[in-house]
Amino acid sequence: MRSGGDQVAQHDIEPARAAGRPARLSRDQRRVVHAATIGFFVDVVDIYLPTVVLAPAMAYFQPPGSAVATSTTMFYVVFAVTLLARPVGSVIFGHIADSVGRRAATTIAIPGVAICTLLTAALPGYAAWGIGAYVLLTVIRFVGGIFMGGATAGLTPLAMEVTPKPMRGLVGGYTNIGYPLGAATISLVTTVMLKLVPAHGAGSPYVEWGWRIPFIFGGLLALAYVVYFRRVVGESPLWQGASTGSGPKRRPLAELMRGRNRRSLLQVLLLMTGIWMGFHAITSAVSGVLVTYLDRPASTVTSSLMIANVVLAACYFGYAVLGQRIGRRRLLIGGGVSVATLGAGLYAIALANADHGGSLAITMVLVGVCMVLATGLFPVVCTYITERFPTEVRSTGWAVGYQVAVILPSLYSFYMLGLGNLMPYVYTPVVLVVIGGVIVAIGAWLGPETRDIDLEEVR
């Protein structure tokens, strides 16, 4: 077993094709890539626990007799505060990843994630602490969001920096399958719990204690991951070479805000704002709309989302390979257009079907297609962002560009409330999907193609 303090051997990052062989990953490179994939998985499990696990159990934290729109918004706010805290963590841990090391950022952030997730599982409800229980839930999720914002600050840049150029697109697809597989795992655990201890309003077993089990699972999973990560992953040699070069030590965040880095950051922020908007309008809003607002069976919605995420994991590879073949910029432009048109249209049909009492199976199939269109862009854009910034600020650029852009989209529940004054509430997410797709297309069009760049030469 290699020591966690060792770096990945320098010769490992040289593309095999330079020696006349097809590009492939060495053993040490595979360890880093696998760790990044599992890290994404753990991160997603802990981030999105509330959207699936708490949807059937929010009555535990809410005043009895709350209006439906109020209950739905309270449910969304718990998730939104986590997302709003992530940009804070991205700045903190992006700086650590660029100044102390990619590996150090992860080994500090993940234990914080675990502790906050386990604390959530121990919370009392409204009956015991009144509205204070809900306030404490949001505070813990905010603090946890800071650590979650740092959990992947070093992981993605580390994985890309040890990957040969011809394989970066595929590795981007592989590392990002942690997202749909993590979401599917949450759905599976919650589905099992709902079968064993059903949720039938306040006082039912799931609402009283069943929801705690998935949070305990998420916290223990994060603790196990940090032990694994420390044992098998070394530091990026590309970062080590840059950090030991001659010249004064730089401040990553300050460097990110200057010249070409700042222009790259603004373009990435625009692009990611669109992606997050479409993502949350489809994936995050659907549980609240179907379960809380339209009163559809929580177990059916949850199990359907689980299946959709398994399919999405397979589609990630297709997007990754296509982006490597035709170029990431071209794919992101086309993806934005497809989200704004086809994705929005199918989502409107799905919500109309549910609103008029149609087949829930048809609704969830259509939602699943929309999820593929909107979230299939993530493996491409994650690779793209790491290719936009030089080594000295890559983690800060990646973390800030990826996480800060989530701020405006994370307020989707309030946009939905506002739009509800102009149109039926159930259809408000469709407007956000259109807006998100348009922003993605514009953001990608404003940036360069990055497929063929060498990471060590980015300036």
Side-chain angles (χ1 to χ4, degrees), residues 162-175:
V162 303
T163 299
K165 179 169 62 177
M167 296 191 68
R168 284 202 302 258
L170 184 60
V171 166
Y174 177 67
T175 56

Side-chain angles (χ1 to χ4, degrees), residues 395-420:
S395 282
T396 306
W398 147 257
V400 172
Y402 187 82
Q403 304 289 2
V404 171
V406 82
I407 293 177
L408 293 179
S410 69
L411 302 175
Y412 64 92
S413 60
F414 299 103
Y415 305 149
M416 290 166 59
L417 280 177
L419 289 169

